[in-house]
Amino acid sequence: MTTVDELLRLGDDALIAAQRLAEWCARGPEMEEDVALANIALDQLGAARLLLSYAGERAGTGTEDDLAFLRDDREFRNCLLVELPNGDFAVTIGKLLFLSVYQLARYDALVDSADDRLAAIAAKVRKESAYHVDHGSLWTVRLGDGTDESHRRMQSAVDELWPYTHELFEENDLRPTWLSTVEPVLAAATLTRPEDGWAPTGGRAGRHTEHLSYLLAEMQVLHRAHPGARW
Amino acid sequence: MYGSDFEDPETVGQPGASALLDEVESAERDLHEAAARTVATGGSTGPGADAALQDYFDAVIAADQKIEPRDWMPGAYRKGLIRQIAQHAHSEIIGMQPEGNWITRAPSLKRKAILLAKVQDEAGHGLYLYAAAETLGSSRDELVELLITGRQKYSSIFNYPTLNWADVGAIGWLVDGAAIVNQVPLCRCSYGPYARAMIRICKEESFHQRQGFEILYTLARGTAAQRQMAQDAVDRWWYPSLAMFGPPDSDSTHSEQSMAWKIKRFSNDDLRQRFVDMCAQQASVLGLSIPDPDLRWNEERGAWDYRQPDYAELFRVIKGDGPCNRQRLRHRRQAHEDGAWVRDAGSAYAAKQAARRAGKRATEQVAAA
Ligand SMILES: [Fe+2]
Ligand SMILES: [Fe+2]
């Protein structure tokens, strides 16, 4: 049986990713991209709701909303990568590519989980993840192989984010699978794959970056101002 | 158009809402039927001599058929439509901002998802409408430029701020509600691509209106603070929503020609009355009050009497002095400028790909020769 902590890791990754993507709303570099980023945010939010509802039921800790709005930052189990600020569009695309390739590998593995409910969630969500991988790859290549400026921005995004990808594989052995997708995308994008080195960690144990607390302050403010209210 | 407020000079207790959707569907049926008929005077092959162009155009309009992109049309018809459709498209895009303001703070995950999907729909509406304007020969880039340089307007309603969560409900109920009342007749507009875009958009707007109604319905039955929030939002959005129908008929400038061309089909005041009648009934179901001491049923007219919005305020907002005009435009301009390097990268990459394909073909031809 899956542990509640594992459900929270998956669910919190999706929730925090959705919250960051939603910040792009009405700010996209083109209108089609506003639609696409909102789509991905909606997929992540949908996955988060399924996973957090299940986690809450399993642990007896309440509804999806109780978990999303009433936990403090030390209780969140998401990886650090998702909580990092959006940065420019290249950083957002880098985060999208790295996260979605990881999520797809995780969900692919979970489809065969002995936990039927989690297996069903994974089966539904993996199709969406596959689309996120396509979208992230497409833009990584366009930006990497676009203009000098976009190349420079995309390379710096990849360099900045790379250290945060190690944390994704602390509890699984999927890094080779992940690399087998990510490395060819970077190559097609004419980008240099960064050296492995510094590997910041702590998200899975509730020790986050300084950014998460601000994200939660915004996300939770209204819900917490009206204890017990229905919306 | 979203509203007419930018031109210078069956659901639980939603009475009236389903009647509007029925009208959208009947417009859609008529559109298909009209497409199957041929115009009486023009014959099935359309106009022959140049002199007959105007006659043919007039006959199509008279027969309630659609003008299509390749048909001849008077210059003023084309120009007026481009402007109207573009301003409608701008309204959809600018309209993402006031509600987008609450996505990251939505009070439940379900409401967050609904709101995000709604704002995404508005982006989609903007895209269809720019595409409809493009069929008349103006590119989206050109039109967006007119928006961000302030040379074309968008619905003035979006120059008001969203101050609490209930504003999201009030916008759905009142602003999307007013937009539907305005847009349902446009499903029968004489220009085919615009009429078809409106049919699709109206169906989605009616979901938005229902979702807004539900938000307010829930708040009105919630805690005292929630109820107060809901009433505050309705108090602030009521008159600006009435103003969405534009100036009173007595002051409205170029609507006669639009009526003759079957672009506009009802006067501003007729549509405003229709909206008031719908809202007056729905407000009592919501249990919220409309901030109009003169609102009462008039048996003789078979309609609600109501107080007019402050048109002087409407004109101030149109001229640029609403609470958020500067902020909305600055936001749009900023997003456009920040995205320039991304759009450039997209075109540079596409050009490289095309060159690579051409190079590959050339090599293959050499190899084959
Ligand atoms: Fe819309
Ligand atoms: Fe809408």
Side-chain angles (χ1 to χ4, degrees), chain B residues 2 92 122 125 176 201 205 208:
Chain B
Y2 214 97
E92 300 284 357
E122 306 302 2
H125 297 171
D176 286 274
I201 289 173
E205 299 295 9
H208 299 167

Side-chain angles (χ1 to χ4, degrees), chain A residues 26 77 126 149 229:
Chain A
R77 292 290 174 265
R126 73 197 279 202
E149 181 182 8

Side-chain angles (χ1 to χ4, degrees), chain B residues 14 47 126-127 137 190 192-193 235 265 272 306 333 336:
Chain B
Q14 270 195 279
L127 285 170
S190 59
D235 289 349
R265 285 171 172 266
R272 192 171 4 248
Y306 66 97
R333 205 177 295 133
H336 189 74

Side-chain angles (χ1 to χ4, degrees), chain B residues 3-249:
Chain B
S4 300
D5 58 341
F6 42 71
E7 300 287 355
D8 276 311
E10 242 9 356
T11 65
V12 177
Q14 270 195 279
S18 62
L20 285 167
L21 252 191
D22 290 346
E23 278 184 52
V24 173
E25 270 151 29
S26 100
E28 191 173 16
R29 269 195 310 277
D30 290 353
L31 193 143
H32 291 306
E33 280 170 22
R37 289 196 305 269
T38 53
V39 177
T41 59
S44 58
T45 52
D50 280 5
L53 289 171
Q54 177 77 50
D55 288 347
Y56 180 74
F57 174 86
D58 293 342
V60 170
I61 300 279
D64 272 328
Q65 290 195 303
K66 302 299 168 202
I67 301 296
E68 295 298 335
R70 269 179 286 172
D71 292 341
W72 180 88
M73 60 191 89
Y77 176 89
R78 181 185 299 275
K79 208 171 144 224
L81 264 176
I82 291 175
R83 185 154 155 273
Q84 176 169 334
I85 298 173
Q87 295 192 142
H88 186 166
H90 302 332
S91 303
E92 300 284 357
I93 296 299
I94 296 285
M96 295 168 73
Q97 292 179 42
E99 288 189 282
N101 182 38
W102 283 92
I103 292 173
T104 56
R105 292 174 293 167
S108 73
L109 296 185
K110 181 180 157 201
R111 290 291 176 206
K112 190 191 289 288
I114 292 173
L115 180 57
L116 186 52
K118 179 192 169 177
V119 176
Q120 184 194 33
D121 283 348
E122 306 302 2
H125 297 171
L127 285 170
Y128 313 149
L129 287 163
Y130 284 121
E134 286 190 324
T135 64
L136 290 159
S138 277
S139 75
R140 180 168 112 194
D141 288 350
E142 255 170 76
L143 298 172
V144 167
E145 193 62 27
L146 291 172
L147 167 66
I148 61 181
T149 52
R151 281 174 294 162
Q152 274 184 349
K153 306 278 187 194
Y154 53 87
S155 181
S156 282
I157 192 76
F158 300 123
N159 291 317
Y160 290 86
T162 48
L163 302 179
N164 72 45
W165 166 252
D167 287 32
V168 170
I171 290 185
W173 181 45
L174 296 173
V175 176
D176 286 274
I180 299 168
V181 170
N182 247 322
Q183 290 170 12
V184 162
L186 291 173
C187 295
R188 295 177 177 281
C189 158
S190 59
Y191 187 58
Y194 192 28
R196 289 187 288 270
M198 287 323 311
I199 287 172
R200 190 163 166 190
I201 289 173
C202 275
K203 290 180 182 175
E204 291 183 358
E205 299 295 9
S206 83
F207 277 111
H208 299 167
Q209 200 255 358
R210 176 167 171 74
Q211 287 158 358
F213 183 88
E214 270 174 15
I215 288 174
L216 292 177
Y217 191 88
T218 307
L219 292 174
R221 278 150 195 77
T223 64
Q226 285 177 306
R227 210 192 131 66
Q228 198 181 356
M229 196 187 275
Q231 186 61 57
D232 174 48
V234 171
D235 289 349
R236 281 180 290 108
W237 288 93
W238 174 252
Y239 285 107
S241 301
L242 283 191
M244 283 176 71
F245 296 93
D249 294 348

Side-chain angles (χ1 to χ4, degrees), chain A residues 29 145 218 223 230-231, chain B residues 104 107 111-112 226 343 356:
Chain A
D145 193 18
E218 182 175 350
H223 186 97
R230 284 185 54 248
W231 301 95
Chain B
T104 56
R111 290 291 176 206
K112 190 191 289 288
Q226 285 177 306
R343 296 190 299 275
R356 281 173 201 142

